[in-house]
């Protein structure tokens, strides 16, 4: 199995930046497509960004495109750079691993492993 631990969340003012990290352990990290989801109180968990394995192809939700960047290193860490933060970005952010060699739709119901989440709060 894979264990995911997020870090880097916090409280910032609009326009500020944050960098979230997700450390993975347990199995070969490189074979898992990875993603970041977020969930605000009373709302559905939504995909923010995703990244493939070897090719590192990326996907971004329209609401964060141009502001956030997802990346992964060659070892065991996934990152999400959050720039130009807006109050609407306030949510718990979850690191996620999709099934090994997965190439389907990056949706919450297809996630194989979840992190515990890290809170991001943006004030205006």
């Amino acid at each position: 199995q894979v264990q995911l631990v997020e870090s880097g969340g916090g409280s910032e003012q609009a326009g500020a930046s944050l960098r979230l990290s997700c450390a993975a352990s347990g199995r070969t990290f490189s074979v898992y497509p990875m993603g970041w989801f977020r969930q605000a109180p009373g709302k559905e968990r939504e995909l923010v960004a995703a990244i493939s394995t070897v090719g590192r192809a990326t996907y971004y939700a329209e609401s964060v495109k141009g502001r956030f960047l997802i990346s992964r290193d060659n070892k065991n860490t996934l990152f999400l750079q959050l720039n130009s933060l807006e109050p609407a970005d306030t949510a718990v952010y979850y690191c996620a691993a999709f099934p090994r060699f997965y190439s389907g739709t990056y949706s919450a119901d297809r996630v194989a492993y979840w992190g515990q989440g890290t809170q991001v709060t943006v004030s205006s």
Side-chain angles (χ1 to χ4, degrees):
Q1 65 180 44
V2 173
Q3 294 183 331
L4 306 173
V5 180
E6 303 96 334
S7 62
S11 181
E12 300 287 347
Q13 292 185 321
S17 297
L18 281 175
R19 189 192 192 198
L20 306 182
S21 297
C22 172
S25 63
R27 301 188 70 174
T28 305
F29 177 69
S30 62
V31 303
Y32 295 90
M34 302 292 293
W36 288 96
F37 289 78
R38 67 185 182 186
Q39 187 168 25
K43 297 185 178 180
E44 295 291 318
R45 188 169 298 187
E46 63 177 359
L47 177 68
V48 175
I51 187 168
S52 66
T53 54
V54 179
R56 296 181 178 179
T58 58
Y59 166 86
Y60 296 94
E62 289 298 320
S63 60
V64 306
K65 190 174 183 180
R67 297 189 297 119
F68 293 4
L69 290 172
I70 188 171
S71 62
R72 64 195 299 167
D73 64 14
N74 294 318
K75 296 182 178 179
N76 68 338
T77 308
L78 176 74
F79 304 95
L80 183 68
Q81 180 68 40
L82 297 76
N83 298 316
S84 302
L85 285 165
E86 304 171 353
D89 296 321
T90 296
V92 175
Y93 284 70
Y94 297 90
C95 177
F98 294 92
R100 290 182 297 168
F101 313 111
Y102 182 71
S103 60
T105 301
Y106 293 133
S107 60
D109 60 355
R110 301 302 300 171
V111 171
Y113 304 98
W114 291 101
Q116 292 299 309
T118 184
Q119 177 72 47
V120 172
T121 301
V122 183
S123 60
S124 60

